[in-house]
Amino acid sequence: MSDNNEKTTVAAQGATDYGYVSNGNAAGNVRLIKNYALFLFPKGDSTFVAPTGVAWTPPASKKPIGYSTEDGAVLHPEPGDSTDYKAHNGDIVLSDTDPGYWTLQLAAMEGRKDVVSAYFDVDVDSDGGISIKGAGLKKEWILVLVALDQQDRPFLLYGTNSKVADRDDVSLKSSEIMNFSMTFKMLKGTNGEQFHAWGLVTEDAK
């Protein structure tokens, strides 16, 4: 009787098609960002038209920040703090977590007007000069990052409202290229969203 049960089990296993184990992998879904352009718009810029998908074109007069260092751009989640509320016997009866925020980190290598304005948190004069009165950060920015992967598939990230939250030092020496390393913190937009993104999903999302 035991031999018959073992044969039945083996037969049942043999009838199952386990091709999905290896067939579920698709190299075409793997991505490498080969190039990107980041556009900075001062909050309230009348020339800005919000993206509604990857088919977005900047205003004719708008230029991207240009080159950034080989580390590229980094989208980083910063989880919110969690608070546990306990009952009289020590049981956790409620756990509340702040929503947190996202950041976009990059090191711009070109001294473009928008780059200098964002890094030093100032308006650039018509002659290219800046006047520094402090190291605070108050200016708010709209971000649009458009990227292409190894198959020229587009990816677009739209930060509805952001602010420079952190900066690295600017190196002034012959052995290093001067760059303006900044971390933009995504702030909540009018509808509570911090950013929109299109093009991350590589398969048919329908």
Side-chain angles (χ1 to χ4, degrees):
M1 180 69 71
S2 177
D3 289 343
N4 290 336
N5 289 339
E6 290 178 1
K7 291 179 180 179
T8 301
T9 302
V10 170
Q13 290 177 344
T16 302
D17 182 5
Y18 288 99
Y20 62 84
V21 174
S22 58
N23 293 340
N25 302 324
N29 290 330
V30 178
R31 309 185 73 176
L32 177 69
I33 297 301
K34 304 295 288 187
N35 201 1
Y36 66 81
L38 176 66
F39 296 86
L40 295 177
F41 295 86
K43 186 177 178 182
D45 190 330
S46 60
T47 68
F48 175 70
V49 178
T52 57
V54 294
W56 177 82
T57 303
S61 61
K62 191 66 178 180
K63 303 298 181 184
I65 66 167
Y67 285 120
S68 59
T69 62
E70 61 185 6
D71 293 329
V74 178
L75 183 63
H76 170 71
E78 194 67 38
D81 294 331
S82 294
T83 303
D84 293 333
Y85 298 90
K86 297 181 180 180
H88 67 282
N89 61 353
D91 289 346
I92 297 175
V93 294
L94 178 64
S95 183
D96 188 30
T97 303
D98 293 335
Y101 58 90
W102 290 79
T103 65
L104 185 68
Q105 307 161 359
L106 56 91
M109 296 171 66
E110 298 188 33
R112 299 285 181 94
K113 179 179 178 180
D114 288 337
V115 171
V116 172
S117 179
Y119 183 87
F120 290 100
D121 201 65
V122 295
D123 294 326
V124 178
D125 297 335
S126 58
D127 63 357
I130 59 174
S131 300
I132 304 299
K133 296 182 179 179
L137 294 165
K138 296 180 179 179
K139 294 177 73 68
E140 295 182 6
W141 298 87
I142 299 168
L143 306 178
V144 180
L145 185 144
V146 183
L148 296 175
D149 69 7
Q150 75 279 9
Q151 297 184 34
D152 286 335
R153 291 175 296 191
F155 158 64
L156 187 146
L157 183 145
Y158 163 39
T160 57
N161 192 19
S162 69
K163 189 176 182 180
V164 176
D166 191 28
R167 299 165 291 188
D168 291 346
D169 298 340
V170 177
S171 180
L172 306 174
K173 56 184 180 181
S174 60
S175 59
E176 291 184 16
I177 294 177
M178 181 189 297
N179 70 70
F180 304 91
S181 180
M182 295 176 280
T183 299
F184 288 89
K185 177 181 179 180
M186 306 292 188
L187 307 175
K188 286 184 179 181
T190 54
N191 61 357
E193 297 176 354
Q194 296 184 11
F195 72 89
H196 305 276
W198 297 272
L200 279 175
V201 178
T202 54
E203 61 184 353
D204 188 356
K206 295 179 180 180

